[in-house]
Amino acid sequence: MNVEKFEKILRTKKIKYDFYTIKNINNKKKIAFFYLKKKIIFLLKISLNIFTSNQFKNEINSYNFIKKKRIHFLTTSAEKFYNNKSISILKIKYVDGEKGSFFDLKKFYQRKYIKTKTINFSNYQNILKNNFKKIHLVNIKIDNDFKKINNYFKKEKLKICLSHGDFAHWNTISNRKKNYVFDLEYFSKERIYLYDILHWLIQPYINKIRFFNYTTKFNIFLIFLIKYNLNNLNVKYNKREIIKYIIVYFIEIKYTYYIAKYISKKYKIISPKDLKRSKILYKFCSQQISYFLRLVD
C-alpha cells in the first residue's frame, strides 16, 4: 500500500493527529504510530496479505471475546479500522504510560482470574492443530518430538486455559493505575496452563542467545527461574510438572518456526534472513525438548 492510499483512508476516517511514523514488522505487516501533542494516541496495524489479515481477524474476535471479562490480563481497546480485499487495518488505543518490564510478571498476570480445565496429555495434539489452523492457516503434522513426549506423559494430565499467545513485556504498557497487554494476534481460548508465564520468562532469553547463533542450551537453572516466579504467583508445581509444561511450550513454538517455510512459499512474506533464522530456531527448540526430557526421571 502506498502512502497516498493510506493517507486517503486517514482523511476518510477524519482522525486528528499531528504526525505519524510507520514501521515494517517482519515483512508481514506495518505499524503506524500516531502522535498528538507529542504523545502516541493510538497505533494502526496494517496488513497487506491474507495471512496477517487472518491474524488481525483473530485479534479483533479476541478483544470482543474478553471484553468485560475477568481474565488474567488487562488489555487496551481495539477496533476494526478499515477492511477490504487488499488491506485490513486495526486501530489499537495506546495507553499513555511506560513500557512494562520483563521482571514485572506479577503485575501483568492476574492468576486469581484464570479458569482451567484438565485433559489427557495425548489430546493436546488436537488443540495444537486447531490453533495453527485457525491462527496461522496451516495444517501442522505431529512430528517425532511430539510422539516422543507423548510416550513420557501419555498417562498424565494437562491443564488448559485461554492464552494471550505472545505474552511478553514488549507487548505491555503501564501507567500509574493499571498494567495493560496488547497484540492479541495469537490469542486462543485453549492452550496449556502456564504458556503465557513460560513465554514471558523464556522468550526474552531466546532473543538474547541469537548472538550465540542459538548454540546455547537452557539448563536446570531455567526450572528454578520458573519455579521462583510460580511461587510468587502462588502456583505450586513439582519439578516434573514444570518440566512437562516447558517441553510442551517448546513444542508449540517449534511448530511456529517450522511453518515459516510453508508461509514463505504460499504468501511470500518472510525474508530469506528470517527464514534462515526460523530453521535454526526449529532445531534449537528440538534440542531443548531432548535436553529437558532427560531431566524428567
Side-chain angles (χ1 to χ4, degrees), residues 67-239:
K67 192 182 295 182
K68 297 181 180 179
K69 285 186 173 65
R70 287 190 171 184
I71 59 172
H72 63 271
F73 53 87
L74 182 66
T75 68
T76 57
S77 61
E79 62 184 74
K80 191 177 291 184
F81 185 81
Y82 183 85
N83 188 57
N84 65 16
K85 291 183 179 179
S86 61
I87 176 176
S88 62
I89 305 176
L90 292 188
K91 179 181 178 182
I92 299 178
K93 181 181 177 183
Y94 193 92
V95 181
D96 182 33
E98 298 288 336
K99 267 298 188 97
S101 167
F102 167 60
F103 297 104
D104 288 337
L105 174 61
K106 193 174 182 179
K107 293 182 181 178
F108 293 93
Y109 192 94
Q110 303 297 309
R111 178 185 174 273
K112 62 183 177 180
Y113 296 133
I114 202 161
K115 295 180 181 179
T116 65
K117 67 176 182 180
T118 303
I119 64 169
N120 294 326
F121 187 92
S122 56
N123 291 342
Y124 189 64
Q125 64 176 301
N126 294 326
I127 291 174
L128 267 177
K129 288 179 179 179
N130 290 338
N131 281 339
F132 274 82
K133 180 64 176 177
K134 180 181 178 181
I135 299 170
H136 303 286
L137 301 174
V138 174
N139 290 312
I140 62 167
K141 295 180 180 179
I142 299 301
D143 66 3
N144 289 331
D145 275 341
F146 192 93
K147 294 173 184 177
K148 192 188 301 180
I149 67 173
N150 194 48
N151 288 334
Y152 274 81
F153 304 115
K154 61 183 177 182
K155 295 182 180 180
E156 299 183 25
K157 304 289 185 179
L158 276 177
K159 281 188 176 181
I160 301 298
C161 64
L162 63 77
S163 164
H164 178 280
D166 194 10
F167 197 78
H169 65 281
W170 49 80
N171 288 330
T172 63
I173 192 166
S174 306
N175 61 22
R176 295 178 189 176
K177 297 179 181 179
K178 294 181 180 179
N179 305 291
Y180 298 89
V181 179
F182 54 91
D183 197 5
L184 277 75
E185 292 177 26
Y186 303 117
F187 176 90
S188 174
K189 295 178 184 177
E190 292 188 312
R191 273 200 189 94
I192 54 165
Y193 180 44
L194 302 187
Y195 184 92
D196 286 348
I197 295 173
L198 294 177
H199 194 74
W200 181 283
L201 296 172
I202 294 174
Q203 199 59 220
Y205 288 115
I206 290 179
N207 289 345
K208 287 179 180 178
I209 62 177
R210 71 183 185 275
F211 299 113
F212 302 98
N213 201 29
Y214 304 104
T215 54
T216 304
K217 70 178 180 181
F218 288 105
N219 55 42
I220 199 166
F221 291 106
L222 178 63
I223 299 171
F224 291 117
L225 172 68
I226 292 166
K227 195 167 186 177
Y228 171 79
N229 280 273
L230 291 180
N231 286 337
N232 283 342
L233 295 169
N234 199 27
V235 177
K236 307 296 181 183
Y237 274 137
N238 61 34
K239 179 183 172 182

Side-chain angles (χ1 to χ4, degrees), residues 3 16 43 54 91 99 117 165 203 211 247 250 259:
V3 174
K16 293 181 179 180
L43 60 87
N54 181 72
K91 179 181 178 182
K99 267 298 188 97
K117 67 176 182 180
Q203 199 59 220
F211 299 113
I247 289 170
F250 275 117
I259 64 173

Side-chain angles (χ1 to χ4, degrees), residues 9-21:
I9 295 170
L10 296 178
R11 288 194 297 272
T12 302
K13 294 293 182 178
K14 297 180 180 179
I15 61 174
K16 293 181 179 180
Y17 63 92
D18 292 331
F19 66 95
Y20 67 87
T21 60

